[in-house]
C-alpha cells in the first residue's frame, strides 16, 4: 500500500527533531516538485507546532494526509487522547477566511462519513491564520461529534486543543491503524469523474467493497468483449443494467477511461443525451485539470470533450460524412432514453432539412458504428423508470433494430434485462425475433452506491409514487434514522433547514418540476433554461450557484446529478386526489388534465427524479394555496400534503431534532 501521508511521528519525537530533518522527510515524500512557497509554509508549520504542542506528549502528528475522494491533502492532523484534530494553515494570513473554514470542515466531514476509524470519533477542524488576531471560539459539536471549525493563530493552537480535551474524552486510538484505515467513499458523479480522470481506480471512489468489486467486474466483462472483438474483427453490442443508484453512469465513465487509448487505434467515448450532465462533467473535469496542472481551461475543455460528448453532436457529425467515426468503443448512457423513429425523423426534417430521414436513434447510432470495417463495440447503459421526455423509445427500439438488421453483430445482455421495468410485458426472444444473444450476469450492477446515508430512498420513493402509503411508512421509519425527509408549508423554513443542515461546502439547492408553473406565485421561478454548470459548480459567493436558492432546477437539469440537501417545491401538477395521484399541466390561465398515459408516466418519473437527487436529506415544501386564486386551490395542495404525511413524512418544526 502506498503512503497516505508525507510525515508521521509521535508528537514527542517530532518536537525533539531538528526542523530540517522533518522538512527533509516532507520533501522526500512530496510527489510533485516542491515550490519555494510550499517549503516556506512547511518550515513555518513545523516551527509553530514544535512550540505549540509541547504539553501533549502522548499524541501523534501527521503531515499532508491524503483525502482520496477530494484529491487533496490535510496540512496537519494531530491525534491526542483519541481526538482527531485537523489543521489547515494559512501562513502569513491576518484574517480568517470563510473558504479555509469550509475547506477544513469538508475534510472533517469526509473523514466522518467515509473513513472507517474516524466514524465514531470526535473530529475537530481547525483553521490556522498565523498572523490573525485571537478569536473567541464556542467549542460546540453536532450529534455526529464533528466540532464547528475552531479559529486559531500561531500562538493559541495548544491552548484551544487543551480547552477541548478538558470538555470531552475519547478512548485511545491506534494511530497506525487509523492512518491506513479503510477509506470507503461515495463520491458524487462529478467527483467520481474527476477521480477517474486523475487515474484513480474505482476502489478509491467506491463506498464499499461490493460496489468496487461490482464496478470492476462489469468493467472487466466489457473489456473482455472488446478484446475479443479486436482480436477476431467482430462487432458487439452490450446492455448493462443496475439497481437504482448502482452507478451505471460511473461504470460507463470507468470503461471509457480505461479504454481511452488514443495511441492504440481504440478511441473510447462516453456519450449521453443528458445535455446538462455532459456540460457539468466536461466543465468539472476541465476546471479540475486546470487547477492541478495549470493549463488553460480552454485547452482542458477541448480534451474533456473528447472523453465525454453529447450524443446529439456525435449523431449530427455523422450526418456530414459517410466515414466511420474515430471512436471504436461508444458507451451510451441512459440508452432507454434514445428517441423513437417518429421523434428523430420529425427532428431531422424540421431542424436538419433531411426529409428522407426515417430511422430511430438506436438504428442510426448502430449504423454509425457499423461503418467500421473491422471491429466496433457499443455499450448501452440501461435504467428503468427514467423516461421523462416525449419521444423516448425505451429499450425496445434497440431490440427492434437488432432484430431487423445487423445480424453480424453479437448481442450481450445483462441477465436482469428480462425484468418488466426494462421490457414491459414482453420477453427477449420475442423482442429480438429469435436472434441469438448471450446473457452475462456480470453486466448487472447489483450494489447501490448512490446514497451513503441510506439505500432505502429509492424504494421509499417508489412506494410513495405507487400510492402504497403503508409500505412507504414502513420504509420511512427506518429511512429517517439516516436520511431526514421533512414536510413544510413555509418556504422560508425550508430554506433555513437546508442552510442549517449543510456544513462546509456541502451543496444544497432548490428543485421543482418543470410543470410547476404556479410556484411562481410563491416566488419560485422554474425557468426552462438555467445556467446548470454554474448552478452545480459555482461556490457560495456566486449568485448563479444552487446555494442562493433563487432559481429552481427542474428534472431536466438535475437528472444524473446530485446535491447534498434539497428543497423540493411540490406544485399541483402532480396532485393527490380522492382517486390517487392525478396529472395536470398549466396552460393559459388554468390547469389542464393530462390524459395520455405516456405523458402521465413522464410526469410521475419527473417527481421520481426530483425526490432522489439529494444525497443526505430532503425537505418538501407544499404551498398553502390561496382562496382567491382558483389556480392555487387550497384543496390541491392540502390533499397532497395529507397523503405525504400518511407515508410517514413528518412536518418540520424547530422542535424536531435534526
Amino acid at each position: 500500500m502506498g503512503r497516505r501521508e508525507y510525515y508521521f511521528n509521535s508528537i514527542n519525537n517530532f518536537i525533539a527533531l531538528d526542523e530540517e530533518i522533518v522538512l527533509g522527510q516532507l520533501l522526500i515524500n512530496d510527489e510533485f516538485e516542491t515550490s519555494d512557497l510550499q517549503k516556506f509554509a512547511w518550515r513555518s508549520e513545523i516551527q509553530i507546532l514544535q512550540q505549540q504542542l509541547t504539553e501533549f506528549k502522548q499524541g501523534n502528528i501527521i503531515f499532508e494526509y491524503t483525502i482520496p475522494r477530494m484529491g487533496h491533502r490535510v496540512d496537519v492532523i494531530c491525534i491526542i487522547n483519541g481526538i482527531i484534530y485537523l489543521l489547515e494553515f494559512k501562513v502569513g494570513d491576518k484574517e480568517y477566511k470563510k473558504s479555509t473554514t469550509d475547506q477544513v470542515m469538508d475534510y472533517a466531514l469526509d473523514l466522518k462519513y467515509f473513513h472507517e476509524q474516524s466514524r465514531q470519533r470526535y473530529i475537530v477542524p481547525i483553521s490556522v491564520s498565523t498572523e490573525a488576531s485571537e478569536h473567541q471560539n464556542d467549542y460546540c459539536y453536532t450529534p455526529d461529534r464533528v466540532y464547528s471549525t475552531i479559529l486559531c493563530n500561531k500562538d493559541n493552537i495548544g491552548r484551544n486543543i487543551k480547552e477541548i480535551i478538558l470538555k470531552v474524552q475519547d478512548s485511545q486510538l491506534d494511530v497506525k491503524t487509523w492512518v491506513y484505515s479503510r477509506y470507503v467513499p461515495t463520491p458524487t458523479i462529478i467527483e467520481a469523474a474527476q477521480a477517474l480522470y486523475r487515474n484513480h481506480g474505482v476502489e478509491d471512489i467506491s463506498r464499499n467493497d461490493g460496489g468496487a468489486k461490482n464496478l470492476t467486474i462489469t468493467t472487466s466483462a466489457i473489456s473482455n468483449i472488446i478484446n475479443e472483438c479486436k482480436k477476431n474483427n467482430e462487432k458487439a453490442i452490450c446492455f448493462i443494467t443496475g439497481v437504482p443508484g448502482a452507478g451505471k453512469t460511473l461504470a460507463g465513465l470507468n470503461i471509457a477511461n480505461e479504454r481511452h487509448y488514443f495511441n492504440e487505434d481504440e478511441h473510447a467515448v462516453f456519450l449521453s443525451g443528458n445535455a446538462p450532465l455532459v456540460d457539468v462533467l466536461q466543465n468539472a473535469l476541465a476546471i479540475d485539470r486546470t487547477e492541478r496542472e495549470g493549463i488553460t481551461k480552454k485547452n482542458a475543455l477541448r480534451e474533456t470533450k473528447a472523453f465525454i460528448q453529447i450524443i446529439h453532436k456525435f449523431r449530427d457529425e455523422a450526418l456530414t460524412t459517410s466515414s466511420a467515426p474515430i471512436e471504436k468503443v461508444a458507451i451510451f448512457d441512459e440508452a432507454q432514453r434514445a428517441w423513437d423513429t417518429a421523434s428523430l425523423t420529425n427532428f431531422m426534417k424540421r431542424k436538419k432539412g433531411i426529409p428522407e430521414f426515417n430511422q430511430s436513434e438506436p438504428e442510426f447510432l448502430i449504423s454509425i458504428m457499423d461503418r467500421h470495417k473491422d471491429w466496433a463495440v457499443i455499450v448501452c447503459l440501461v435504467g428503468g423508470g427514467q423516461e421523462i421526455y416525449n419521444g423516448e423509445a425505451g429499450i425496445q427500439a434497440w431490440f427492434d433494430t437488432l432484430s431487423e438488421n445487423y445480424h453480424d453483430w453479437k448481442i450481450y445482455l445483462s441477465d436482469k434485462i428480462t425484468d418488466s421495468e426494462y421490457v414491459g410485458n414482453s420477453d427477449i426472444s420475442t423482442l429480438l425475433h429469435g436472434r441469438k444473444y448471450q446473457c452475462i450476469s456480470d453486466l448487472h450492477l447489483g450494489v447501490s452506491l448512490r446514497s451513503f446515508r441510506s439505500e432505502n430512498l429509492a424504494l421509499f420513493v417508489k412506494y410513495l409514487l405507487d400510492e402504497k402509503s403503508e409500505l412507504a411508512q414502513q420504509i420511512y421509519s427506518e429511512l429517517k434514522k439516516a436520511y431526514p425527509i421533512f414536510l413544510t408549508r413555509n418556504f422560508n423554513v425550508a430554506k433555513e433547514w437546508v442552510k442549517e443542515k449543510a456544513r462546509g461546502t456541502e451543496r444544497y439547492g432548490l428543485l421543482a418540476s418543470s410543470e410547476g408553473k404556479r410556484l411562481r406565485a410563491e416566488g419560485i421561478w422554474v425557468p426552462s433554461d438555467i445556467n446548470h454548470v454554474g448552478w452545480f459548480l459555482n461556490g457560495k459567493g456566486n449568485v448563479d450557484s444552487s446555494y442562493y436558492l433563487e432559481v429552481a432546477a427542474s428534472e431536466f437539469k438535475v437528472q444524473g446529478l446530485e446535491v447534498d440537501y434539497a428543497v423540493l417545491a411540490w406544485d399541483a401538477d402532480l396532485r393527490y386526489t380522492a382517486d390517487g395521484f392525478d396529472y395536470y399541466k398549466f396552460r393559459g390561465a388554468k390547469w389542464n388534465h393530462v390524459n395520455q398515459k405516456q405523458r402521465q408516466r413522464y410526469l410521475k418519473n419527473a417527481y421520481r427524479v426530483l425526490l432522489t437527487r439529494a444525497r443526505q436529506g430532503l425537505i418538501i415544501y407544499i404551498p398553502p394555496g390561496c382562496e382567491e386564486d382558483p389556480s392555487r386551490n387550497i384543496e390541491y395542495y392540502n390533499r397532497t400534503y395529507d397523503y405525504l404525511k400518511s407515508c410517514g413524512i413528518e412536518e418540520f418544526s424547530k422542535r424536531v431534532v435534526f
Side-chain angles (χ1 to χ4, degrees):
M1 180 183 291
R3 293 184 70 104
R4 287 189 181 173
E5 82 296 336
Y6 285 2
Y7 178 85
F8 164 56
N9 212 332
S10 69
I11 290 176
N12 226 7
N13 289 342
F14 164 72
I15 291 171
L17 284 171
D18 186 286
E19 68 183 61
E20 293 300 321
I21 294 175
V22 180
L23 180 61
Q25 194 68 44
L26 288 168
L27 293 171
I28 288 169
N29 289 318
D30 188 1
E31 57 191 307
F32 305 106
E33 186 176 342
T34 312
S35 67
D36 290 339
L37 191 63
Q38 181 63 73
K39 291 176 189 175
F40 173 76
W42 279 339
R43 182 175 275 111
S44 298
E45 291 167 20
I46 295 164
Q47 292 170 351
I48 291 168
L49 290 172
Q50 284 185 332
Q51 293 173 4
Q52 288 292 307
L53 300 178
T54 52
E55 290 188 50
F56 310 106
K57 303 295 186 182
Q58 302 305 312
N60 291 273
I61 188 167
I62 303 158
F63 279 78
E64 301 292 333
Y65 185 77
T66 302
I67 303 285
R69 183 180 76 106
M70 303 175 72
H72 295 290
R73 291 180 176 274
V74 187
D75 284 347
V76 179
I77 296 175
C78 293
I79 299 179
I80 303 169
N81 289 11
I83 300 169
I84 302 165
Y85 300 88
L86 312 180
L87 288 78
E88 190 64 21
F89 278 84
K90 296 300 174 188
V91 175
D93 277 16
K94 296 181 179 180
E95 59 184 32
Y96 302 104
K97 294 178 181 176
K98 183 67 167 62
S99 58
T100 309
T101 303
D102 285 342
Q103 181 182 5
V104 71
M105 176 58 77
D106 286 346
Y107 295 156
L109 295 175
D110 215 69
L111 290 176
K112 173 60 66 172
Y113 296 153
F114 308 126
H115 187 264
E116 281 194 341
Q117 290 290 321
S118 300
R119 285 179 185 165
Q120 307 304 321
R121 295 281 165 177
Y122 288 101
I123 300 180
V124 186
I126 301 176
S127 172
V128 184
S129 291
T130 58
E131 309 306 315
S133 57
E134 181 149 351
H135 177 82
Q136 187 63 45
N137 292 297
D138 293 331
Y139 307 113
C140 56
Y141 59 87
T142 49
D144 63 1
R145 297 184 168 190
V146 176
Y147 270 80
S148 297
T149 303
I150 307 297
L151 306 181
C152 295
N153 60 31
K154 65 182 179 181
D155 298 318
N156 62 9
I157 297 169
R159 191 170 359 120
N160 277 282
I161 290 176
K162 193 172 182 179
E163 284 289 334
I164 291 167
I165 290 173
L166 291 173
K167 294 177 185 298
V168 295
Q169 301 291 318
D170 214 336
S171 58
Q172 289 300 314
L173 176 60
D174 184 275
V175 180
K176 285 189 177 180
T177 301
W178 184 91
V179 167
Y180 292 104
S181 165
R182 284 203 327 151
Y183 181 80
V184 282
T186 301
T188 66
I189 191 62
I190 293 170
E191 293 167 334
Q194 289 172 334
L196 290 173
Y197 206 56
R198 298 186 209 116
N199 292 320
H200 283 283
V202 291
E203 65 277 0
D204 292 329
I205 57 174
S206 176
R207 178 169 56 92
N208 53 52
D209 290 342
K213 182 179 178 184
N214 211 188
L215 287 168
T216 302
I217 288 172
T218 299
T219 302
S220 178
I222 294 295
S223 288
N224 288 340
I225 292 169
I226 292 172
N227 291 337
E228 282 296 307
C229 288
K230 287 177 67 175
K231 178 182 175 183
N232 301 322
N233 278 342
E234 295 174 337
K235 296 171 184 175
I237 184 166
C238 314
F239 293 86
I240 294 175
T241 58
V243 299
K248 292 183 290 294
T249 299
L250 177 54
L253 288 168
N254 193 37
I255 294 163
N257 190 58
E258 289 203 359
R259 310 298 303 204
H260 199 53
Y261 303 140
F262 289 110
N263 59 341
E264 293 187 19
D265 187 32
E266 190 170 305
H267 302 273
V269 64
F270 178 88
L271 299 168
S272 174
N274 185 341
L277 174 69
V278 171
D279 288 343
V280 170
L281 289 181
Q282 285 177 344
N283 279 272
L285 294 184
I287 291 168
D288 185 60
R289 181 139 188 237
T290 298
E291 290 175 350
R292 286 185 298 109
E293 300 180 21
I295 65 174
T296 66
K297 185 184 175 185
K298 184 178 180 181
N299 287 336
L301 199 55
R302 187 182 300 115
E303 290 190 23
T304 64
K305 285 182 176 179
F307 177 53
I308 300 172
Q309 294 179 28
I310 185 71
I311 200 168
H312 306 317
K313 290 186 177 179
F314 177 82
R315 181 194 67 201
D316 294 349
E317 184 179 328
L319 290 168
T320 66
T321 178
S322 58
S323 300
I326 191 171
E327 295 85 4
K328 289 291 190 70
V329 180
I331 299 116
F332 295 118
D333 194 28
E334 299 290 0
Q336 79 285 351
R337 296 181 58 196
W339 288 358
D340 58 25
T341 301
S343 297
L344 185 58
T345 298
N346 183 43
F347 175 83
M348 290 298 188
K349 289 176 180 176
R350 287 186 300 106
K351 299 291 187 179
K352 302 297 179 181
I354 309 175
E356 69 278 8
F357 193 94
N358 187 33
Q359 290 180 301
S360 69
E361 194 162 38
E363 185 177 2
F364 187 45
L365 292 172
I366 295 174
S367 74
I368 295 170
M369 295 301 290
D370 192 53
R371 294 175 185 176
H372 287 291
K373 300 302 182 187
D374 46 4
W375 70 275
V377 175
I378 294 173
V379 180
C380 294
L381 308 173
V382 183
Q386 296 292 307
E387 300 89 348
I388 57 175
Y389 284 92
N390 292 334
E392 292 180 347
I395 200 64
Q396 185 172 341
W398 292 91
F399 290 159
D400 287 345
T401 297
L402 291 168
S403 68
E404 295 167 7
N405 302 292
Y406 309 109
H407 292 282
D408 58 330
W409 280 67
K410 289 189 171 181
I411 302 171
Y412 297 93
L413 305 176
S414 153
D415 60 352
K416 295 293 190 294
I417 207 163
T418 55
D419 292 355
S420 61
E421 63 184 301
Y422 301 111
V423 296
N425 296 322
S426 190
D427 62 85
I428 299 297
S429 294
T430 301
L431 292 174
L432 286 174
H433 294 193
R435 269 203 65 178
K436 287 184 178 180
Y437 62 89
Q438 183 177 341
C439 273
I440 300 177
S441 60
D442 290 346
L443 298 185
H444 179 72
L445 294 161
V447 180
S448 178
L449 299 173
R450 176 177 292 154
S451 177
F452 63 91
R453 288 294 191 192
S454 175
E455 296 179 3
N456 289 325
L457 178 62
L459 184 59
F460 171 73
V461 169
K462 174 178 169 55
Y463 286 149
L464 185 153
L465 293 175
D466 288 348
E467 301 168 29
K468 297 177 179 178
S469 59
E470 290 185 5
L471 291 172
Q473 191 171 22
Q474 291 173 22
I475 297 293
Y476 180 81
S477 65
E478 288 298 315
L479 177 66
K480 68 179 182 181
K481 296 173 185 176
Y483 186 99
I485 304 179
F486 287 110
L487 284 169
T488 184
R489 310 302 295 272
N490 186 315
F491 187 40
N492 287 327
V493 166
K495 290 192 287 186
E496 286 305 311
W497 185 83
V498 292
K499 290 177 182 178
E500 199 166 337
K501 287 291 289 179
R503 294 172 286 181
T505 60
E506 288 180 325
R507 185 169 291 275
Y508 50 85
L510 174 61
L511 310 177
S513 160
S514 60
E515 293 298 331
K517 306 299 184 185
R518 294 308 297 136
L519 293 171
R520 188 174 65 179
E522 307 294 332
I524 298 173
W525 184 40
V526 194
S528 58
D529 194 25
I530 68 171
N531 175 7
H532 45 265
V533 172
W535 198 91
F536 275 104
L537 298 182
N538 286 342
K540 290 181 177 178
N542 192 304
V543 297
D544 284 338
S545 76
S546 65
Y547 294 111
Y548 268 72
L549 299 172
E550 291 182 353
V551 176
S554 73
E555 68 275 15
F556 299 126
K557 300 301 180 182
V558 298
Q559 188 173 43
L561 293 161
E562 303 159 314
V563 292
D564 287 294
Y565 295 96
V567 176
L568 170 54
W570 194 307
D571 205 359
D573 52 336
L574 181 65
R575 68 183 71 155
Y576 200 78
T577 70
D579 299 317
F581 277 121
D582 210 351
Y583 308 86
Y584 289 83
K585 288 192 174 187
F586 193 83
R587 296 294 182 269
K590 65 177 183 178
W591 290 103
N592 296 299
H593 189 258
V594 175
N595 296 311
Q596 190 180 347
K597 293 294 183 185
Q598 182 82 331
R599 291 178 181 271
Q600 290 181 0
R601 188 156 63 91
Y602 291 149
L603 185 50
K604 183 177 179 180
N605 283 343
Y607 274 85
R608 190 189 315 279
V609 168
L610 295 168
L611 284 161
T612 55
R613 289 310 95 192
R615 285 159 54 85
Q616 298 200 55
L618 172 70
I619 189 163
I620 301 171
Y621 164 60
I622 297 185
C626 178
E627 288 184 2
E628 293 78 29
D629 183 353
S631 71
R632 292 187 291 140
N633 187 315
I634 292 173
E635 200 61 28
Y636 296 164
Y637 301 99
N638 283 353
R639 284 190 167 181
T640 301
Y641 170 80
D642 289 340
Y643 170 70
L644 294 181
K645 282 196 78 172
S646 77
C647 292
I649 307 178
E650 301 171 21
E651 181 163 5
F652 176 74
S653 70
K654 285 294 183 181
R655 292 189 301 275
V656 177
V657 178
F658 66 91

